[in-house]
Amino acid sequence: MLKTSEESQEAQVVFNITYNSGQIYVNDFPMKRGVTRIKCQTLILETGNSDNLLEQRHLGIVSVRIMFREWPLASRSNLQLIVIQEEVTEIDGREVQQEEVTEINILIKGMRVLRHSNHTVLLKESMLYSIPRDNDMLFTLPNLSGKGMSIALNA
């Protein structure tokens, strides 16, 4: 929900999350374990009165907290569980009130993805919410003007 002075508006932010050779990427940015606060350009879908979805899509600047954690599942196997949670805090300079976070779970054996799933969790019940913002790693992606930038989305 985007907060404005008079009304709120729903928006969906599209991120491309990839696992490749032991590394997690969000919109091609390599993630480190822990919580990273990123300001980046991505696709935004806004809910409005228009029936035409194309009129509601645009590239925008988003601030997001992303948690990336991994755990071994058994001491003698090479099974790992990777958990990713996101909290969007700002879209195009407007504060966001997010009640649910998306959680992605990826089960890895060696370097191979066995399965993945995603679901929503109430923000206040998420692991991400319990981690103080003072501990976030801050990162701003270059070229936020959008000039000379291309974005590929996997649907």
Side-chain angles (χ1 to χ4, degrees), residues 2 24 52 55 61 63 68 84 99 102 109-110 139 142 150:
L2 295 169
I24 295 289
N52 186 352
E55 292 178 3
I61 306 299
S63 294
F68 163 34
I84 302 165
E99 295 179 10
T102 298
K109 184 170 185 174
F139 193 84
S150 64

Side-chain angles (χ1 to χ4, degrees), residues 1-11 46-47 89-98:
M1 298 287 263
L2 295 169
K3 291 182 182 178
T4 62
S5 58
E6 297 174 10
E7 61 187 54
S8 52
Q9 177 181 1
E10 287 190 33
E46 291 190 29
T47 304
T89 58
E90 193 175 275
I91 298 175
D92 291 332
R94 295 183 286 175
E95 186 181 343
V96 171
Q97 180 180 343
Q98 185 171 332

Side-chain angles (χ1 to χ4, degrees), residues 6-18:
E6 297 174 10
E7 61 187 54
S8 52
Q9 177 181 1
E10 287 190 33
Q12 181 179 0
V13 177
V14 180
F15 293 109
N16 181 17
I17 298 175
T18 309

Side-chain angles (χ1 to χ4, degrees), residues 9-86:
Q9 177 181 1
E10 287 190 33
Q12 181 179 0
V13 177
V14 180
F15 293 109
N16 181 17
I17 298 175
T18 309
Y19 174 84
N20 187 6
S21 302
Q23 178 65 56
I24 295 289
Y25 298 88
V26 174
N27 286 9
D28 298 325
F29 171 70
M31 297 296 300
K32 294 185 179 185
R33 287 161 192 82
V35 179
T36 304
R37 199 171 335 155
I38 302 173
K39 191 170 196 172
C40 64
Q41 185 176 45
T42 196
L43 181 64
I44 299 167
L45 308 173
E46 291 190 29
T47 304
N49 295 331
S50 173
D51 292 330
N52 186 352
L53 187 59
L54 291 176
E55 292 178 3
Q56 299 171 4
R57 294 180 179 199
H58 71 278
L59 289 177
I61 306 299
V62 174
S63 294
V64 63
R65 294 181 75 217
I66 298 177
M67 182 199 73
F68 163 34
R69 292 243 172 125
E70 59 186 341
W71 291 276
L73 291 183
S75 60
R76 293 193 168 189
S77 77
N78 55 357
L79 280 175
Q80 270 188 307
L81 176 64
I82 294 174
V83 177
I84 302 165
Q85 292 182 343
E86 59 66 40

